[in-house]
Amino acid sequence: MTVTATPDPVAVLRVPAGMQWTALSERSIRAAFREGDLILACTAPMTFFICVYVPLRRSVEASGLDYAQYLLPLIAVQSMFFTSMFAADRAGREITAGMGTRLRAMPVLSWVPPAARMSANVLRASVALAGALTIGILFGFRFHGLPAAVAFVVLTLAFGAAIVVASDALGTATANPELGGTVLFVPQLLLLMTSTGFVPAEGFPGWIQPFTRNQPVSQVAAALRDLAEGRFGSAVGVAVIWVVGLLAAAAVLSVRVERRRR
């Protein structure tokens, strides 16, 4: 008499991690389309560029600078900050709506939900950077060399990845969808306004110039400005160190938040 083994119900229900990630990524990306995230991601840097370029162009170009060439790197950085606000908001919404609790009750690997949210965030960041580059090129911004242009895009997205991962972790930890529009807005605005992205450091009071020159937004903007001109100078190396450090800190924060929630 042959005895048929009963299949393990847990094994039957187990879905490969790749399929879990794909399904949750599709869900996040569909939400980004449905809720208009991509339209906002594209138009926000365009609006920001025009609002800064139009009133400041004459005064800055009087000193001999091409202001579209000077300003665009900061707009690219700002577009990544804008993406990070989306990331914090969407992570907070998932927790508030109970999606995180439901996923924890299912055989879903711990890294899959944040990785799926990152898929949508990569799309938002790419669209935001495309919007920034489009408006910059319309106003006269140009790349001088393909390798440096590729490095420009990679460095911008790497900086974006660092702040998006950190913002996603903060949104998850606080379960507060308002975080992106309130808590994160102030420090991001301060870093942008006190950077060399709008005007050179010499335009600031002497007491704040050391901070203005050396804070991460100024360093990344300076590196992007060099890359736009086709140069791989020392500013690029400094910016890479900043980005690697921020990525490491963001990854540690994200892992700690996910472990605490488990």
Side-chain angles (χ1 to χ4, degrees):
M1 178 176 179
T2 303
V3 177
T4 305
T6 303
D8 182 358
V10 175
V12 170
L13 293 175
R14 187 172 293 126
V15 177
M19 291 182 65
Q20 296 175 359
W21 172 77
T22 302
L24 291 176
S25 295
E26 288 180 2
R27 173 181 172 274
S28 297
I29 291 172
R30 282 199 304 271
F33 277 100
R34 184 175 61 250
E35 297 177 11
D37 291 5
L38 301 183
I39 295 174
L40 282 173
C42 182
T43 55
M46 291 181 168
T47 305
F48 193 51
F49 181 97
I50 293 171
C51 289
V52 175
Y53 180 83
V54 171
L56 294 182
R57 180 179 69 87
R58 287 185 183 278
S59 58
V60 174
E61 290 193 347
S63 62
L65 286 175
D66 180 338
Y67 198 45
Q69 201 73 14
Y70 187 86
L71 178 63
L72 193 278
L74 182 76
I75 301 301
V77 172
Q78 182 270 339
S79 70
M80 297 299 106
F81 277 132
F82 197 71
T83 303
S84 75
M85 294 169 71
F86 275 115
D89 179 82
R90 297 305 183 259
R93 280 197 206 180
E94 282 209 351
I95 304 303
T96 303
M99 185 65 182
T101 303
R102 291 197 293 274
L103 290 175
R104 284 207 309 276
M106 299 169 68
V108 177
L109 297 177
S110 60
W111 61 267
V112 172
R117 290 196 298 274
M118 278 302 295
S119 301
N121 289 325
V122 168
L123 178 62
R124 292 189 189 98
S126 301
V127 170
L129 180 57
L133 292 176
T134 299
I135 192 68
I137 289 171
L138 287 176
F139 279 80
F141 173 81
R142 294 291 182 271
F143 285 115
H144 298 276
L146 181 59
V150 173
F152 181 105
V153 172
V154 171
L155 181 60
T156 303
L157 293 179
F159 176 75
I163 58 176
V164 162
V165 170
S167 300
D168 181 274
L170 287 173
T172 302
T174 61
N176 180 7
E178 303 297 326
L179 182 74
T182 53
V183 178
L184 290 177
F185 179 73
V186 174
Q188 292 180 358
L189 183 63
L190 286 175
L191 285 173
L192 289 170
M193 298 303 292
T194 59
S195 74
T196 57
F198 295 115
V199 295
E202 292 72 21
F204 288 83
W207 59 270
I208 200 175
Q209 287 185 12
F211 173 77
T212 298
R213 285 195 183 91
N214 296 298
Q215 58 123 313
V217 170
S218 295
Q219 296 291 338
V220 174
L224 294 178
R225 214 169 281 127
D226 275 3
L227 290 172
E229 297 295 336
R231 299 191 296 264
F232 288 85
S234 59
V236 177
V238 174
V240 169
I241 292 172
W242 266 109
V243 170
V244 170
L246 291 171
L247 272 171
V252 170
L253 177 63
S254 180
V255 169
R256 289 176 66 90
V257 168
E258 290 299 324
R259 282 181 177 172
R260 182 172 298 179
R261 294 192 67 250
R262 295 273 163 178

